Amino acid sequence: MAKTDVLARVDSDLERGHTYLAIQRLSSLAAADPGDLDIRARLAAVHRATGNLAEAGRWGFLTEDATDAEIAAFERSRRAAWEQVNTLRGVHPSGLGPRASARYLALTERAGAEHGIPVPMTAVEPDTWLDRLFFGLVLTLIGAIPVLAVIGLVTVVRWLL
């Protein structure tokens, strides 16, 4: 479904007071394109409207309209700076506004200080479907090796008997 169609459904859901459905739809869009700051801002606004400051801070962290209370709630919900950075991955910092960029820079510096290594100000690219397919095939092969070994062992024992 096209982004415009999903956003139209989100607007319809919100008009009817169905915030849960709107959040689900917006979360799907955010997962598909984590760097879309407009989607993040809309998701933060819905969470803000429902009173969920931690999630509003999470989704609004990289936008200019996040409040200090929302950012503080997000930071309390994920104490470690590394965890916060990981939650925000997939967004390239060059597209951020001045407040969000400064906030993100401070966060990456705190995360680097936690572990003694610098955190680059570059986005962690989300996995592609090809990466997931390769990982799945590797896991399948790793899981198949013991099964094949047992089948081979049973076959050899039957030959010997």
Side-chain angles (χ1 to χ4, degrees):
M1 186 177 297
K3 177 181 170 181
T4 55
D5 295 335
V6 175
L7 291 177
R9 287 186 180 206
V10 166
D11 292 337
S12 175
D13 291 337
L14 292 174
E15 286 173 7
R16 290 183 274 145
H18 299 157
T19 55
Y20 180 76
L21 283 173
I23 288 170
Q24 282 185 318
R25 293 182 204 281
L26 288 169
S27 295
S28 295
L29 284 176
D33 185 7
D36 189 332
L37 295 178
D38 293 332
I39 297 299
R40 285 179 172 269
R42 288 190 70 168
L43 195 48
V46 175
H47 281 295
R48 187 177 300 121
T50 63
N52 189 344
L53 293 184
E55 287 298 305
R58 171 189 178 187
W59 293 106
F61 191 92
L62 299 172
T63 66
E64 293 297 300
D65 59 348
T67 67
D68 292 338
E70 292 167 356
I71 300 302
F74 167 65
E75 290 174 345
R76 280 192 308 273
S77 71
R78 292 167 178 83
R79 298 257 183 214
W82 271 94
E83 185 180 1
Q84 294 169 26
V85 169
N86 190 41
T87 301
L88 301 172
R89 71 174 185 223
V91 178
H92 197 279
S94 65
L96 305 179
R99 288 183 58 216
S101 183
R103 191 181 307 128
Y104 187 69
L105 176 62
L107 176 60
T108 57
E109 288 174 355
R110 281 196 326 267
E114 279 181 6
H115 291 280
I117 56 172
V119 176
M121 279 284 289
T122 57
V124 176
E125 292 298 322
D127 295 335
T128 64
W129 68 269
L130 195 56
D131 293 335
R132 292 183 193 140
L133 176 65
F134 177 73
F135 184 69
L137 289 173
V138 168
L139 286 180
T140 302
L141 287 174
I142 290 172
I145 289 172
V147 172
L148 293 174
V150 169
I151 291 171
L153 183 61
V154 167
T155 303
V156 167
V157 168
R158 284 185 180 168
W159 287 341
L160 294 175
L161 297 177

